[in-house]
Amino acid sequence: MNFSRRELMKTVGAGALALGAGQNMTAASSGGVMGVPPDFSVVRSEFPRAAKHLWLAAAETHPFSVHTLRALEEYSQYRALGALGRDGFTPAEQAETKQMFGALINASAEEIAFVLSTTDGENLVVSGLDLAGLGGNVVIDDLHFAASRYLYTALAEAGHIDLRVVQHRDWQIDVADMERAIDSNTRLVSMALVSNINGYMHNVRAISDIAHANGAYVYADIIQAAGNTPVDVQAMGIDCCACSTYKWLMGDFGLGFLYVKRDLQGDVIKQTRYGLRQVTQKDGHFVPRPGAAIYEGTTTMPYLPAVCAHQGLKYLARLGVRNIRTHTKRLVDRLQTEMPGLGYPSITPLDTPTPVVSFLTADPDVTRAKLDRAFGQRVVSPGQWQMTDSSGKTQSVRGIRIGVSVYNNDTDIDAFLNALD
Ligand SMILES: Cc1ncc(COP(=O)(O)O)c(C=O)c1O
């Protein structure tokens, strides 16, 4: 069922009504701030899509909240009609957005650059390190995202690097295998902190200690972690990381964040492109803006996804990532307990601290037919993955990936399990 414009505005209005005295604060979301867990039934009401359709695929894209809808409406009115006291996506909002993202991963705002996407961020790191010029090896693993595997495979095929791909065992990466792959010629260890394949979260601190002892740097793709699982770049020993905003940050395509540790900016991870977002101009001179601004793009930043990210980050800050994790863990635990009995073995380790969980499907067409019959549209992400057995042989397997978020509840899980029963 589609939203009519009238219905949409009613929803935005309802969300706005739930806001306290001009602040973007709701009864639900204020709980995170006060140390009291948020009321997740109210949170669900702030994601109107959740009541309309089951969506267990936040690992793909996350629905907008009513707050985002309202901010988009204001921004669109400003662009279409002017007025309303808005002024694009202001420098103050830009600064606040970086500050909020920094706070989410325990970094400072000056360690954050706006980029286009996760892949854009990783490319900036690779070119800034001059991996192609340095030579040596890069270590990744087979639970990494396809775009990253492509990036390093292309560099390897061009003869610029030696690529070492550590294979998973039992759908997790053994630190001892990483240790065997990393040596003093390793320039970079790159991983998806949380794998898009099965939600597996690396033992990143152990791996970064090994990388650093060998003089290598650590890049983490954090798109499947930021906003759903606590991330602390300092405690985890992550040197640089990136993500888009269209998944757990509740935003849209076209804007991402790159974190580069302060000590590495400029000298180790160099500036490789030039644009006016990186400088201010004074008396005919270009004055560099501080920090990670040197990695920013070559044009004005995209304001529409920035409006969404700003709202998403505010909402996350109010809910609190630990509260989010507590909420989703219970629902994921239900899936982990009940799905194998329905004939869907899990490929996500039980102690994985993320809301992304994947199951193998013996007959993907039958599974899809059952879900289509129950819901009339896609509700989870289908997947085809490479499974490595104990002898190191790989085979293609098919399955479904589920991403549980703040708006999901027990009724969703019941409906999903009943459909597969
Ligand atoms: C682990 C991981 N990395 C990266 C991406 C997307 O990359 P980008 O932000 O470049 O679109 C995804 C999207 O599914 C992902 O799951």
Side-chain angles (χ1 to χ4, degrees):
M1 185 179 168
N2 291 326
F3 279 113
S4 65
R5 182 177 152 78
R6 214 156 155 242
E7 199 183 0
L8 189 71
M9 293 320 296
K10 230 169 61 195
T11 310
V12 175
L17 270 183
L19 302 172
Q23 299 289 310
N24 270 5
M25 182 75 80
T26 66
S29 29
S30 62
V33 171
M34 308 304 288
V36 180
D39 178 346
F40 278 94
S41 66
V42 183
V43 171
R44 182 175 173 89
S45 74
E46 292 173 342
F47 289 86
R49 178 165 154 189
K52 302 222 154 224
H53 297 294
L54 180 65
W55 186 243
L56 288 170
E60 234 174 85
T61 56
H62 201 284
F64 288 164
S65 72
V66 290
H67 311 297
T68 301
L69 273 180
R70 193 179 62 146
L72 281 171
E73 177 70 17
E74 279 178 9
Y75 180 77
S76 304
Q77 288 203 13
Y78 159 71
R79 292 285 285 143
L81 308 169
L84 292 178
R86 263 211 85 94
D87 185 16
F89 187 65
T90 63
E93 287 168 323
Q94 295 180 33
E96 190 183 28
T97 303
K98 281 189 184 174
Q99 183 270 322
M100 286 189 292
F101 179 73
L104 193 70
I105 64 167
N106 195 21
S108 74
E110 290 194 354
E111 292 174 306
I112 309 297
F114 290 123
V115 293
L116 289 177
S117 67
T118 325
T119 309
D120 190 37
E122 190 164 7
N123 270 275
L124 282 160
V125 169
V126 165
S127 54
L129 279 172
D130 189 22
L131 273 189
L134 282 180
N137 68 67
V138 171
V139 176
I140 65 171
D141 61 79
D142 65 358
L143 297 179
H144 208 338
F145 184 57
S148 306
R149 288 188 279 113
Y150 166 59
L151 165 61
Y152 299 108
T153 302
L155 288 178
E157 283 176 0
H160 296 311
I161 59 163
D162 168 26
L163 177 60
R164 300 177 177 179
V165 185
V166 171
Q167 290 182 321
H168 67 264
R169 294 173 195 261
D170 254 345
W171 297 103
Q172 36 199 319
I173 302 301
D174 191 332
V175 172
D177 288 338
M178 293 297 280
E179 188 157 27
R180 271 188 286 279
I182 297 168
D183 62 23
S184 58
N185 283 324
T186 304
R187 308 286 176 239
L188 184 69
V189 177
S190 170
M191 71 187 87
L193 177 62
V194 170
S195 169
N196 59 296
I197 294 172
N198 64 342
Y200 171 70
M201 186 162 177
H202 281 83
N203 183 351
V204 58
R205 180 75 228 194
I207 296 170
S208 60
D209 283 348
I210 298 165
H212 292 154
N214 282 278
Y217 297 104
V218 174
Y219 167 83
D221 165 341
I222 61 167
I223 195 171
Q224 296 291 3
N228 68 30
T229 301
V231 175
D232 180 333
V233 287
Q234 295 186 42
M236 291 174 164
I238 292 171
D239 297 308
C240 38
C241 61
C243 63
S244 280
T245 53
Y246 58 83
K247 297 187 196 281
W248 307 93
L249 300 183
M250 306 179 177
D252 204 15
F253 298 92
L255 182 74
F257 298 105
L258 169 66
Y259 156 80
V260 177
K261 191 177 170 183
R262 192 184 302 271
D263 307 349
L264 305 182
Q265 294 173 7
D267 290 340
V268 176
I269 301 179
K270 299 188 177 58
Q271 179 176 11
T272 52
R273 59 185 185 181
Y274 299 85
L276 291 179
R277 283 197 56 79
Q278 303 167 349
V279 287
T280 52
Q281 296 183 58
K282 198 163 183 255
D283 305 328
H285 297 288
F286 298 114
V287 182
R289 289 174 57 224
I294 55 170
Y295 305 110
E296 297 221 350
T298 52
T299 182
T300 306
M301 67 181 296
Y303 285 167
L304 267 174
V307 165
C308 302
H310 185 237
Q311 289 300 318
L313 282 163
K314 270 191 183 177
Y315 197 76
L316 288 170
R318 291 197 304 266
L319 289 186
V321 173
R322 283 183 196 282
N323 291 324
I324 293 173
R325 178 63 197 135
T326 303
H327 172 75
T328 56
K329 180 177 186 320
R330 206 178 52 74
L331 301 176
V332 166
D333 285 352
R334 280 196 61 194
L335 292 166
Q336 286 276 37
T337 306
E338 297 185 42
M339 286 288 281
L342 297 175
Y344 297 91
S346 171
I347 61 164
T348 303
L350 286 178
D351 58 356
T352 298
T354 77
V356 182
V357 59
S358 297
F359 301 93
L360 297 181
T361 44
D363 190 335
D365 293 338
V366 170
T367 303
R368 198 183 57 223
K370 284 183 178 179
L371 293 175
D372 284 351
R373 199 173 320 121
F375 303 112
Q377 63 177 46
R378 197 164 63 75
V379 297
V380 295
S381 314
Q384 181 159 16
W385 309 298
Q386 293 301 112
M387 181 169 80
T388 308
D389 69 17
S390 52
S391 72
K393 276 212 208 89
T394 58
Q395 73 178 98
S396 252
V397 292
R398 292 178 68 180
I400 50 176
R401 182 189 66 188
I402 299 172
V404 176
S405 192
V406 293
Y407 50 82
N408 290 125
N409 62 12
D410 281 302
T411 310
D412 288 350
I413 304 298
D414 289 340
F416 179 70
L417 292 170
N418 286 338
L420 292 181
D421 203 357

